[in-house]
Amino acid sequence: MSEPVNQARRVLHEAPADLLLDRIADVLAAAYGVTRVDLLQVDYRLAALLPLVGDEPVTAPGHPAWRCFDHQIPTLADGTGYLPVSMRGERRGVLVVSPAPAPLDELTEIATALAHEISAVTYGTDVYRSAHRSRRLTLAAEMQWEMLPGRSRIRPSFSLAGQLEPAYAVRGDSFDWSDDGTRVWLSTINGTGEGVAAAMLTSLATHALRNARRSGLGLADQAALADQAVYDLHRGGQHLAALLMHLDLRSGQLTVVDAGSPRLVLLRDGKIQELPLEAQFPLGMFEATDYREQHFELCRNDRLFVVSDGVVDAVGQDVRYGETALDRFLSRTRAMEPLDAVRSLIGDLRAFVASDLVDDAVVVCLDWTGPQD
């Protein structure tokens, strides 16, 4: 590793949370003669790259910054370098430097180090959170986004991504995931209600599921614990649908609990099929519900989509989007990374309704690439 890269890492590690970009700009100026540095962060809708220090968002799909973000490769255009600011598959944005020295290998390492540091300091400052929103979030949406584990995740044996819509006003839909290298847990919630009340109900269920998962309980017991937590508070007056999944990354065995859940769709060898789930009661509907697990065997390179009813029920010009249009679109995503597939589906929905979605929608995409030796 070169001395400028090592110096950049040291400077980032020691910099105040709000001055990461300033400190890295000093290193780049001294080592490479760079005179302009900016950080473009992707907004909540995945529709704009918003500058931290500039004032012009990047929205044109063909812009070099979008090519860098979409393909996750360093890009050089007209003397300006665009470097992916990403970590463990979580795409945060693009580092912009000019004039950019070629090759861009060392700058790419520095951009990755910046992504790690931003992740480390985010809970101690609002600088980066405030700068990657193009408009104000509703209070419910603020609560929902704060609960998420991230928007994408990549490891050798799997890739995973999710998105909430309407991004700036989502109420009750959400997702959560965790992995330990040999297993992935994924839960998707199709929430009910309006505003903060919906967000609070989803928050209760999410934290109950996390508590059960972190205690080592199986999926059925996780569902039962969350069901009881919601019922104890609302006595059946409020409930919410959820889909719980556990994937063994070595064998490809998928364990599922359907608690009134969204659709679970499998894309295998270019063909779409909805997995036959055993419909069980939503979380919190009745006291002491017993949940049962189902098991499916995945094949290498299978892709799963979890899609809430806000997607299939979206309406444009009095026409419902529907399952047929959904399946047709999903079948065309095989060559895309999960985040790009999710983003493309949400973009197709926005075009269909000719605006932001009215009802909440959640889309999650999971690829199992097979066991890794």
Side-chain angles (χ1 to χ4, degrees), residues 147-328:
M147 278 196 302
L148 296 187
R151 193 146 46 184
S152 56
R153 177 86 164 132
I154 296 175
R155 295 196 65 163
S157 54
F158 75 92
S159 297
L160 180 61
Q163 175 67 3
L164 306 179
E165 285 291 327
Y168 288 88
V170 66
R171 297 168 291 270
D173 283 13
S174 189
F175 58 82
D176 192 28
W177 61 60
S178 178
D179 81 276
D180 65 3
T182 60
R183 297 165 295 179
V184 175
W185 293 266
L186 170 64
S187 60
T188 306
I189 291 177
N190 190 181
T192 58
E194 296 294 330
V196 172
M200 291 177 67
L201 181 62
T202 297
S203 177
L204 172 62
T206 298
H207 284 94
L209 289 170
R210 286 176 177 174
N211 177 258
R213 184 184 73 220
R214 292 166 183 170
S215 299
L217 301 182
L219 282 193
D221 290 334
Q222 291 178 31
L225 188 148
D227 170 72
Q228 195 63 43
V230 174
Y231 184 85
D232 284 347
L233 186 62
H234 297 289
R235 312 308 294 179
Q238 293 190 49
H239 48 79
L240 70 178
L243 180 67
L244 280 59
M245 296 193 294
H246 165 259
L247 175 61
D248 187 313
L249 296 170
R250 296 159 298 188
S251 67
Q253 184 178 73
L254 179 71
T255 304
V256 178
V257 171
D258 174 5
S261 74
R263 296 183 77 210
L264 179 58
V265 178
L266 172 67
L267 176 57
R268 174 180 291 169
D269 298 328
K271 297 180 180 179
I272 287 286
Q273 66 181 71
E274 184 170 355
L275 293 183
L277 300 181
E278 179 186 356
Q280 300 178 73
F281 292 126
L283 302 179
M285 181 173 281
F286 300 107
E287 185 173 16
T289 302
D290 289 326
Y291 290 92
R292 296 172 297 280
E293 299 176 352
Q294 289 179 265
H295 301 281
F296 302 92
E297 298 297 329
L298 296 188
C299 297
R300 187 186 296 267
N301 297 321
D302 274 353
R303 167 167 286 182
L304 293 169
F305 283 98
V306 185
V307 182
S308 72
D309 56 13
V311 175
V312 293
D313 291 339
V315 175
Q317 297 183 344
D318 297 323
V319 178
R320 181 172 173 268
Y321 191 74
E323 289 83 356
T324 301
L326 174 64
D327 291 350
R328 186 183 304 116

Side-chain angles (χ1 to χ4, degrees), residues 14-228:
E14 297 169 359
D18 59 313
L19 296 178
L20 295 179
L21 195 64
D22 291 349
R23 295 294 188 264
I24 206 69
D26 293 340
V27 173
L28 296 179
Y32 305 105
V34 170
T35 58
R36 178 203 168 205
V37 179
D38 202 352
L39 172 65
L40 302 176
Q41 296 184 103
V42 68
D43 86 314
Y44 287 90
R45 296 176 79 239
L46 295 170
L49 292 167
L50 305 177
L52 185 65
V53 297
D55 57 6
E56 289 297 326
V58 178
T59 57
H63 193 282
W66 274 118
R67 294 203 302 270
C68 171
F69 182 85
D70 289 339
H71 301 290
Q72 288 296 284
I73 56 174
T75 301
L76 185 62
D78 298 325
T80 298
Y82 301 88
L83 302 314
V85 179
S86 305
M87 52 163 287
R88 299 186 178 95
E90 176 70 12
R91 303 185 200 177
R92 295 188 171 272
V94 175
L95 182 66
V96 183
V97 299
S98 67
L104 298 175
D105 296 1
E106 291 185 358
L107 293 181
T108 301
E109 291 186 54
I110 292 172
T112 300
L114 176 61
H116 282 269
E117 289 301 324
I118 291 174
S119 178
V121 305
T122 291
Y123 287 97
T125 179
D126 289 334
V127 168
Y128 307 101
R129 282 195 184 94
S130 297
H132 80 92
R133 57 189 69 188
S134 59
R135 60 180 184 265
R136 184 176 178 178
L137 291 168
T138 64
L139 177 55
E142 188 87 47
M143 295 169 65
Q144 294 295 71
W145 284 104
E146 285 297 293
M147 278 196 302
L148 296 187
R151 193 146 46 184
S152 56
R153 177 86 164 132
I154 296 175
R155 295 196 65 163
S157 54
F158 75 92
S159 297
L160 180 61
Q163 175 67 3
L164 306 179
E165 285 291 327
Y168 288 88
V170 66
R171 297 168 291 270
D173 283 13
S174 189
F175 58 82
D176 192 28
W177 61 60
S178 178
D179 81 276
D180 65 3
T182 60
R183 297 165 295 179
V184 175
W185 293 266
L186 170 64
S187 60
T188 306
I189 291 177
N190 190 181
T192 58
E194 296 294 330
V196 172
M200 291 177 67
L201 181 62
T202 297
S203 177
L204 172 62
T206 298
H207 284 94
L209 289 170
R210 286 176 177 174
N211 177 258
R213 184 184 73 220
R214 292 166 183 170
S215 299
L217 301 182
L219 282 193
D221 290 334
Q222 291 178 31
L225 188 148
D227 170 72
Q228 195 63 43

